Each structure stands twice: as C-alpha cells, then as structure tokens.
Amino acid sequence: MNSPEEKFTIDYEYVVEKYSDMVYRIIMTITGNNEDAKDAFQETFLRLVRSQEKIKDEEHLKAWLIRVASNCAKTIVTSPWNKRTQGFEENTEEVVYTEEEHSLLEEVRSLSPNYSLPIYLFYYEEYSIKEIAGILGKNENTVKTLLSRGRTELKKRLEKGGE
C-alpha cells in the first residue's frame, strides 16, 4: 500500500491488458449489444485517464473500473437514443463461451441490470457479497436480496425455456 505522500501510479498498458476482458464482459452483461459495449468500454477508460488522481491502489482501481463500467453501460442502455432505436444483430466474437454458457449468459443479460450485475460479479467474476456491496455502493443485505431475486427470476426464465 502506498503511503499518504506517495501517489499510486497507473500503468495504462498494464491496466488495459489486465482488466479489459473483465470490463468488457461486465458491460456486455448490461448492454447486450456489441456496439454499445464498445462505446461504454471506451468511455470507462477515458474516465480512468481523467480521474487517475482519485485512484488509491490496485484494489481500488479494480473496484473503480467495475463501478464506472457498469454506470457507463447503464447510461447507454437508458439513453433516449437507445430507447428509440433498435440495435443491429449482436456480435460477441470477442468473448468466447460454449453454447450452454452463452445461453445462460444471455438469460443473465436479459435480467434487469439490478439483478444481472450482482449475479455476473458473484458467479462469473467470483466476488464475495461483501466485495460486491463495496463495488456497487450497496448494503450487503441489499446485495443478498438482489442475488436471491435475480436467481429466482433466472430460474423462472430457464424453466420457461427463455424469453
């Protein structure tokens, strides 16, 4: 950990190499659209450049990236432009999953972002409930509730055979 006088220095090449896949998957979980995901991905890393002084250490950096990526993705999804247009066919060549994993991930993506992001962070990124609560700025019990409701909704959808 850095001393108060010592600033945490960000090596952008290292950050992009280490965290780009995670950031992109989180954004795709929320947007479900490759083009919107690319926009949110770019915005996330632009914000990192602008906010580099706020980053305290490596752990804070990772949590910051997750939070900003999810916020950028939610902003794009809820923008008036997105509500009035239909996207092109989704192209997810960058992230490779088996057919079964892809089907499950599609169902997770189809959930509300309130449920899909905690489920994604818990099961795909293997964060603990405490870590997810810190990343999302929510109470641990709220995260537990979101996970429980998300699982229930996901189970209903899987039993129905998807939407």
Side-chain angles (χ1 to χ4, degrees), residues 54-84:
K54 297 177 184 177
I55 308 299
K56 298 172 188 156
D57 55 31
E58 182 88 17
E59 187 176 323
H60 182 237
L61 171 65
K62 188 174 182 181
W64 187 93
L65 284 169
I66 291 169
R67 185 94 186 242
V68 171
S70 66
N71 288 341
C72 288
K74 287 176 188 175
T75 299
I76 287 174
V77 167
T78 60
S79 77
W81 172 259
N82 252 354
K83 291 183 179 186
R84 288 181 280 147

Side-chain angles (χ1 to χ4, degrees), residues 96-146:
V96 179
Y97 295 106
T98 66
E99 190 173 322
E100 187 176 290
E101 290 170 331
H102 183 71
S103 297
L104 181 58
L105 187 56
E106 285 303 309
E107 288 298 328
V108 170
R109 286 181 182 155
S110 71
L111 297 171
S112 155
N114 285 339
Y115 300 143
S116 65
L117 186 57
I119 285 175
Y120 179 81
L121 291 173
F122 188 77
Y123 290 104
Y124 289 85
E125 295 296 330
E126 299 178 350
Y127 279 100
S128 69
I129 290 172
K130 184 177 183 175
E131 290 170 323
I132 295 169
I135 290 167
L136 299 178
K138 297 186 183 294
N139 183 298
E140 286 182 45
N141 288 328
T142 302
V143 172
K144 288 178 187 176
T145 301
L146 293 173

